[in-house]
Amino acid sequence: MKIFAPKEINPIETRASLDPAAVKKLVGLGAEVSVESGLGARCGHGDAAYIDAGATVTADRAAGLAAADLVTRVRQPALDEVGLLKAGAIHISFLDPFHETELISRFAAQQVSAISLEMIPRTTLAQKMDAISSQANLAGYAAVVIAASRMNTIFPMMMTPAGTISPAKVFVLGIGVAGLQAIATAKRLGARVTAFDVRPEALEQAESLGAKALRIDLGTTAGTDQGYAKELSPDQLAKQIDAQAKVCAQSDVVITTAKVFGRKPPILIKKDVVASMQSGSVIVDLAAESGGNVEGITPGEVTVTANGVKLIGLANIEGTVAKHASQVLAANFANMIEHFWDKEARTFMIKPADEIQQGCLITHGGSIVHERFKI
Amino acid sequence: MKIFAPKEINPIETRASLDPAAVKKLVGLGAEVSVESGLGARCGHGDAAYIDAGATVTADRAAGLAAADLVTRVRQPALDEVGLLKAGAIHISFLDPFHETELISRFAAQQVSAISLEMIPRTTLAQKMDAISSQANLAGYAAVVIAASRMNTIFPMMMTPAGTISPAKVFVLGIGVAGLQAIATAKRLGARVTAFDVRPEALEQAESLGAKALRIDLGTTAGTDQGYAKELSPDQLAKQIDAQAKVCAQSDVVITTAKVFGRKPPILIKKDVVASMQSGSVIVDLAAESGGNVEGITPGEVTVTANGVKLIGLANIEGTVAKHASQVLAANFANMIEHFWDKEARTFMIKPADEIQQGCLITHGGSIVHERFKI
Amino acid sequence: MEKLIDLAYILSSILFIFGIKMLGKAESARRGNLLSAVGMLIAMVATLLYKEVVDLKLIGIGLVVGTVIGGVWAQKVQMTGMPELVALFNGFGGLASVFVGWAEFEFGKQTDVVTEVAIYSAILIGGVTFTGSLIAYLKLAGKMSGRPTLFPAQKAINAVIFTALIVLGVIYVVQGASWALYGIIGLSLLLGVLGVLPIGGGDMPVIIAFLNSFSGLAGAAAGFVILNKVLIVAGCLVGTSGIILTIIMCKAMNRTFGNVLFGGFGAAGGPAGKAVEGEMKAVSVEDAYFVLEAAQSVVFVPGYGMAVAQAQHAVKELGSILEKNGADVRYAIHPVAGRMPGHMNVLLAEADVPYEQLCEMEPINASISQVDVVIVIGANDVVNPAAVDDPESPIYGMPIINVHEARTVFALKRGKGSGFSGLENALFFRENCRMIYGDAKETIVGLVAQFKG
Amino acid sequence: MEKLIDLAYILSSILFIFGIKMLGKAESARRGNLLSAVGMLIAMVATLLYKEVVDLKLIGIGLVVGTVIGGVWAQKVQMTGMPELVALFNGFGGLASVFVGWAEFEFGKQTDVVTEVAIYSAILIGGVTFTGSLIAYLKLAGKMSGRPTLFPAQKAINAVIFTALIVLGVIYVVQGASWALYGIIGLSLLLGVLGVLPIGGGDMPVIIAFLNSFSGLAGAAAGFVILNKVLIVAGCLVGTSGIILTIIMCKAMNRTFGNVLFGGFGAAGGPAGKAVEGEMKAVSVEDAYFVLEAAQSVVFVPGYGMAVAQAQHAVKELGSILEKNGADVRYAIHPVAGRMPGHMNVLLAEADVPYEQLCEMEPINASISQVDVVIVIGANDVVNPAAVDDPESPIYGMPIINVHEARTVFALKRGKGSGFSGLENALFFRENCRMIYGDAKETIVGLVAQFKG
Amino acid sequence: METLILLLFVFVLAAFLGFELIQKIPSQLHTPLMSGSNAISGITIVGAIIACGVDAHGIGKWLGFGAVVLAMINVVGGYVVTDRMLGMFKKKNK
Amino acid sequence: METLILLLFVFVLAAFLGFELIQKIPSQLHTPLMSGSNAISGITIVGAIIACGVDAHGIGKWLGFGAVVLAMINVVGGYVVTDRMLGMFKKKNK
Ligand SMILES: NC(=O)c1ccc[n+]([C@@H]2O[C@H](COP(=O)([O-])OP(=O)(O)OC[C@H]3O[C@@H](n4cnc5c(N)ncnc54)[C@H](OP(=O)(O)O)[C@@H]3O)[C@@H](O)[C@H]2O)c1
Ligand SMILES: NC(=O)c1ccc[n+]([C@@H]2O[C@H](COP(=O)([O-])OP(=O)(O)OC[C@H]3O[C@@H](n4cnc5c(N)ncnc54)[C@H](OP(=O)(O)O)[C@@H]3O)[C@@H](O)[C@H]2O)c1
Ligand SMILES: NC(=O)c1ccc[n+]([C@@H]2O[C@H](COP(=O)([O-])OP(=O)(O)OC[C@H]3O[C@@H](n4cnc5c(N)ncnc54)[C@H](O)[C@@H]3O)[C@@H](O)[C@H]2O)c1
Ligand SMILES: NC(=O)c1ccc[n+]([C@@H]2O[C@H](COP(=O)([O-])OP(=O)(O)OC[C@H]3O[C@@H](n4cnc5c(N)ncnc54)[C@H](O)[C@@H]3O)[C@@H](O)[C@H]2O)c1
């Protein structure tokens, strides 16, 4: 089976879908791996490293795509690149399937089996290939580091001969994987951390990392069986925004990560709350790329409000730690391929009935097979 | 007594010599404080805050300087501003007296009592006014945060379903105040830290923060009675450079802080060692502004070497956390003024025989009074 | 019948043993007390069955009178009045032993040496217990000044009485002279008074425990007088466990027993001694435990030594234990403690000490004199009182944490090493300071172990 | 003279008491042994002074013979042969008690019930001790298979012997019939053999401790035969302290005493039982302590429960203690343990667990079967063996840490709660797994306290 | 004499036992323990009963009577006070 | 009888003392402690000496003799072995 990893075309993307370690593993399985030249340039891996690991390096992207039985990518492909794939090929990447209906149709039309990384079920068994988790985790860390580097104050408490510097107050909104890692990192740096999530079990998890859980009585809130949050009712949302306003106003750093699976993230921090914050505070919005939890934030940009609050709407936040992000992402790819690998046939087996593939296989055999996206 | 704090003129300087809290304290002592308009603009304090604290705000810098009995500043003044001061006035700031001989002569000529913050003795009693320490401390923290934000990898170890991310290896060279805080911060973030200093007691101090001490047998190395290091002999230096080369090569982050009181910092990391480091590693040189410990580093700039190593030669590193840096610096000023305050006369007493002033008073009564700088 | 009585005695001895053991643990103490009461009942009933015991009516009257007085008294006393009541009861027990010994003497059946020694001991110990307890009662009840009453030639007088008691004892045992016995009774009563008078009210609990142990021994002596096993066993149990308890209580006050007995201070609670220059007094981890165990407020003052020893985790644990034990626990951070600004903060944050418990220098100094125990963990310069009271000192004028004003200070150090400034520290020579030598982590871990053991 | 002898006995009893106490502490054990030897010497010399003891020559010969045999034997035995030698010596002690009882019977002076009961007890207990110890010796010395020797109707036969011994005992005590006594001698010897045969070689140390306690009681019984105080005190001390020691040793093997005595397994050292589905066996912190104390290698497997309990600091401390105790300690981190990637890393780093001790799943699984004790701290899914052996399970195929293959597993949980996946965990029902219920931090802190107490 | 020696034995063993029994005592229990063992020390009641109950007359008997009363006060009062103390203690802890 | 009761007292107290004496024992000390108390259980030697030394003849005396030999082996061997074990232990710890 021929596996091909093209370079990312989105200019903000610094990650690579495969790193040399993953290549080595795949080659070990018996796959032929080729990568586009320059694949790892932005995350610290030269072509030579890939060659050492057993891949062939090609500059001819189109040929690579055309020859491949399986393509790995970080981001969804340009629409016109789908046509280059051969029928029966497998394509694995983030696909943003809720929005990219056009893309999905193309995949189906091209008879490509497209697997969406976003849709891998959040089961214990599937964790090794769960790229959402592996990336969110690093994003949580990076968010705190970025916040720390953009502030004109420090995180830890210091009692010094020149007076006491009080610890930074950090508020983490949304305690998923990214939120948890943000809590852990901020705690490590010595901050006082408060956290909120609509899922009650998430509050316990925050406490297990030493954060203070903000408890707001919103009535029943539900999660999906995958552990994702469901959308709040407008009433509940209003209540939440109200109850957390005071915490925000007192915080030096606010990190928002609140997402709702398959929907636009809710706006949780309105302009008036931002206006109530102290000059010099920082808000990092990890949901910015898909719309943002903070009113007025621009993905990929840092804006300073009139009252001196920095709004950091980083896009591709994992890309700031591209080397490690690529390492775990590539491991996810390799784990997935290994999981479905047929040793005899040396191919990736498409098994639409398998619990995991049922979750993440979007198109197969010329049609959209995923329940949610069937037209 | 009239105290005046002018705005800093060096464009890279973001700190202010006084913050509102310090103003309040000084006013409480009975001083008349005035500050130049915009003094705290770059560290988060508006003019209004100073007025609230009891200062008068003036836009007329020259008038302020001319009227002042005591001037506080962060950096040394422009030569021509010395002439604006009245005879008998007191001027406290960093002065860089080892290099600014011209400036010192001007102070003497102008009959100004100039106090150099660098020269405050490192005694237990003087610590509350020790600005070198208060700033170095924050610099150590900032160095790590900057390194973390400039790397494409993360600091902590993580054992995840997508494999294990090993902890960053950090090497801290020079375990003074800044080095210690850098160690503490890196440890907090989960790094493995190794540290070296020529002063043996500093190694114990590093260990007290959980770092591994690199022990190199250099024969006798000496410290001054102030705890500063003395310069190494060329032989010793060569030996050190040699012995630490391997540690550098294996490190993801190297932070250098090695200074020798009153001299140019030694070059401790040569080009060949930089060349031996892995792509993606980062070197932060805290000594860069005064010449640097790293060959090829440019103060105020980030250079990426051919082999992908980032050399970060930040200048005014404390300025990245300007608000807190100003807070502690201003506290140092206030503490010093309070220490030498005469309650009856409501003035700052110049006592050339006092142990502390003996250390830091450079000019007085029309001549250079400090032993080291007498001509 | 005799056999039955003896078996009953064995049973009641066993009940006493269990009773005392259970009294030492919070969760079983009340049941322990009940058990020992049952043991007492059994012993009494068994004794009534002796065939020599004939005059049941008189005994009955005595029992009823005693029960009513004791019961009513114990029931209606205020909570606060309990300790002095215990003292009084204890005195009655002692007097009872005197009476038993005296009565046996009056019956005059015994002539052998052992019995006479026993009678002598019962009367002597019982007598001292009686008047000693009485004085303790009066002092605690506030019917007599709690201040140590010192009188001239006190020690000499006591010594004379002591000698006289021994001489009279020999005369009595050898000759059986009754005047000697009366003399013994009188002098032992006097000794009790004179022995306790010079002891301050604050030390009374210890004295009561001690006298209680004494009354146990008096009982055991009475047991030898009438050759009664249960008296011997129970008396001896009380005697020895009482001694141990006395020692434990002394330690909890950071005093030695000798100090309590002959110190002649303690009136106001705090030691009144002058600073003894030139001696650093060490204390064992175990002794420190008893003091900490009883402390209501504890302040940790960490320094560079804590960092060197990497003791922060252990310190945090000790802090939590002390809190659970009911003490108010704070961590006082001196701004220059350690070797870099915020050094202590880093370490304590690592150990997860809540920010709320961290205290700056000024607020802690304002209340330090109310603090029961300060634990100085490898700090030196930052608690050097020379900074406030020795104008000659190079650090004079530096604000310090005034730990020397606390009630008790434990200073944890490895040895006589000085701090960063190289200065001697007068704190370590103060009367209220005790050194616990050794690596700070080892010491703290040891203290934690004491609490858990 | 008699008086002197008795005082000597008191002295030697005191020395035995101190001796035993000191033997329990490493730093004083050797001196304790010496002290008790001195006590023994004093008791022997005192006994020789009895005026009834006339035939000093014969005694002298016996003493010399015994000394030479015992001394030489003990000196030249290999280090490895010591335990079996102790068994043998113990057997001799038992036989000596039999002889003493028997001799008294032959002298025929006694007729009262108590003495006869005493003789009966001395012979019965001594006889069992003798042959039991002999078998233990043979098994340990490898002169007999260490495997438990099971024979049919074993329990029935033992019961018959037991009943017979009681019947014969009654007959002997009532009638003083000598045939009954001989019967008792024979049967008790037989009982010793049959009782120890079915016990595996691995359990022999416990059995020896138990028989040792027995021989102490036999001595005490002999003491009642000749009304000798020191025999009673020393025998009784050994008897009861031996029982406690036996129980302690059982706990250290994570067994109950009944299990050792009647289990009939233990031949190969490891338990051979089949997995008992449907029962989770809890164990107390104290019992777990004994197992941990004896463990050579310990692996911690933390999970989300450790995070919830914030037990990381306590875990680190327990780890350090175990290391100091000589165990090899590692922390096995499952990649999905906790609720975020690296969750355990954050916590353990906070508690300063060295990176070197952190182990990934694969390497730990490779050696897990050599691990003495795995402590699972609030982990559940990541150690669920269903992932490897139940193809029906939703987590089948996920790699887990195979803790069920370790020798002993302690699982720390609050109750019967399931993990994130909501699955039942068969691990907790395994024969080699014991639950320690309660908040993980409390439990670990409790274990630490056990080590320090 | 034999009896006396045995009593001495009993004494010695009881003394050791007394030492072993009391180990670490939390400070809140110091007073109740003292009070409880004070009640036990009222065991003199046994001696008092014998002294009071013997078939004799004169001062000895009256001393015995006094001893019974005093010891009984000690016993009853001691146990009751101890129990009250411990009762309080329980409540506080809840 | 009186003596017997007293002996029973002694027995009971000694039993309690035995229980109290042994608390937590580090596992390395299990074997030496067992061995050491085994040596103490050789106290039967006292009974053996009396049985062997009395002014009598016949089988009883020889049983006594046997008892002396056996008990002495137990005593001497027990102490020596224990001492050797503990000696080793010391060395290992250093
Ligand atoms: N905070 C800062 O920024 C900074 C920077 C530089 C210098 N300083 C200076 O450092 C000093 C700080 O005062 P400090 O009170 O924290 O410390 P200190 O005065 O240096 O005293 C530390 C004490 O800890 C003891 N010690 C060392 N290791 C120990 C161990 N393992 N276990 C137990 N005790 C141990 C030492 O006594 P033994 O040897 O007897 O054990 C010593 O007396 C001040 O003089 C300050 O001016 C501070
Ligand atoms: N690592 C990740 O990134 C991640 C993210 C999301 C989900 N997950 C999932 O989380 C699971 C992790 O497995 P795990 O073994 O770590 O945990 P787990 O399977 O969730 O089990 C945790 C156990 O800890 C016990 N517990 C809770 N609080 C406790 C306390 N205070 N003291 C003692 N025990 C306590 C609970 O039992 P009691 O209630 O009886 O005490 C429970 O059985 C996996 O299924 C994984 O897929 C992992
Ligand atoms: N089974 C597994 O092994 C596994 C692996 C990874 C993650 N998970 C679970 O998946 C779940 C989701 O993780 P994720 O990080 O991808 O979530 P996400 O990125 O979809 O959302 C982030 C968080 O935002 C929260 N949120 C939504 N609306 C909110 C609101 N109005 N206010 C505050 N918070 C709001 C969500 O509850 C969630 O915790 C978690 O429960 C996680 O434990 C499970
Ligand atoms: N008395 C006080 O209260 C007080 C206050 C602050 C600092 N100090 C002491 O002052 C001393 C200096 O502190 P600083 O941070 O200002 O020092 P610095 O900034 O002058 O130098 C930084 C460090 O570089 C080290 N160094 C010099 N040459 C080196 C070489 N070739 N290789 C490696 N390291 C080298 C020095 O030893 C020093 O530790 C420290 O000992 C500190 O403890 C004392």
Side-chain angles (χ1 to χ4, degrees), chain A residues 122-125 127 130 133 137 177 180 204-205, chain B residues 159-161, chain D residues 301-311 334-344 376-384 395 398 412-422 425 428 435-443:
Chain A
R122 307 304 278 274
T123 61
T124 296
L125 190 56
Q127 278 214 64
D130 181 355
S133 285
N137 182 38
V177 175
L180 283 173
E204 186 200 59
Q205 294 169 13
Chain B
M159 291 164 138
T160 82
Chain D
V301 179
Y304 180 54
M306 182 184 83
V308 172
Q310 288 283 294
H334 190 283
V336 311
R339 288 290 182 273
M340 71 166 194
H343 200 161
M344 298 301 119
V376 174
I377 309 163
N380 191 337
D381 297 343
V382 301
V383 292
N384 190 340
I395 58 166
M398 178 176 88
L412 277 55
K413 296 178 83 224
R414 293 165 310 184
K416 319 264 178 202
S418 60
F420 184 84
S421 68
N425 191 335
F428 305 143
M435 312 302 298
I436 313 185
Y437 290 118
D439 178 75
K441 183 166 173 201
E442 296 298 314
T443 303

Side-chain angles (χ1 to χ4, degrees), chain B residues 122-125 127 130 132-133 136 173-180 196-199 201-202 205 226-230 232 237 240 244 257-261 266 268, chain C residues 336 339 420:
Chain B
R122 306 306 278 275
T123 60
T124 297
L125 191 57
Q127 277 214 66
D130 180 355
I132 287 269
S133 284
L173 198 43
I175 315 173
V177 175
L180 283 172
F196 175 72
D197 197 301
V198 290
R199 293 177 303 118
E201 69 271 27
Q205 294 169 13
Q226 302 278 324
Y228 289 112
K230 288 213 174 123
L232 293 182
L237 198 59
Q240 175 190 345
Q244 79 202 6
T257 78
K259 292 183 192 157
V260 180
F261 189 64
L268 298 175
Chain C
V336 311
R339 288 290 182 273
F420 184 83

Side-chain angles (χ1 to χ4, degrees), chain B residues 157-161 164 190 192, chain D residues 333 335-336 345 355-356 358 360:
Chain B
M157 177 191 223
M158 291 187 188
M159 291 164 138
T160 82
T164 295
R192 276 181 206 255
Chain D
I333 315 287
V336 311
N345 294 114
Y355 284 138
E356 290 71 30
L358 303 185
E360 292 182 66

Side-chain angles (χ1 to χ4, degrees), chain A residues 82-137:
Chain A
V82 175
L84 297 177
L85 298 173
K86 69 182 178 196
I90 300 168
H91 186 280
I92 315 179
S93 72
F94 286 107
L95 280 182
D96 196 4
F98 290 99
H99 302 108
E100 300 279 353
T101 31
E102 172 68 14
L103 180 65
I104 292 175
S105 316
R106 290 268 183 116
F107 273 127
Q110 191 74 9
Q111 303 231 341
V112 169
S113 304
I115 290 178
S116 158
L117 290 177
E118 289 93 335
M119 303 301 294
I120 292 173
R122 307 304 278 274
T123 61
T124 296
L125 190 56
Q127 278 214 64
K128 60 183 174 188
M129 41 190 116
D130 181 355
I132 287 271
S133 285
S134 75
Q135 301 302 300
N137 182 38

Side-chain angles (χ1 to χ4, degrees), chain C residues 303-317:
Chain C
Y304 181 55
M306 182 184 84
V308 172
Q310 288 284 295
Q312 61 270 28
H313 296 283
V315 168
K316 162 69 194 292
E317 207 195 341

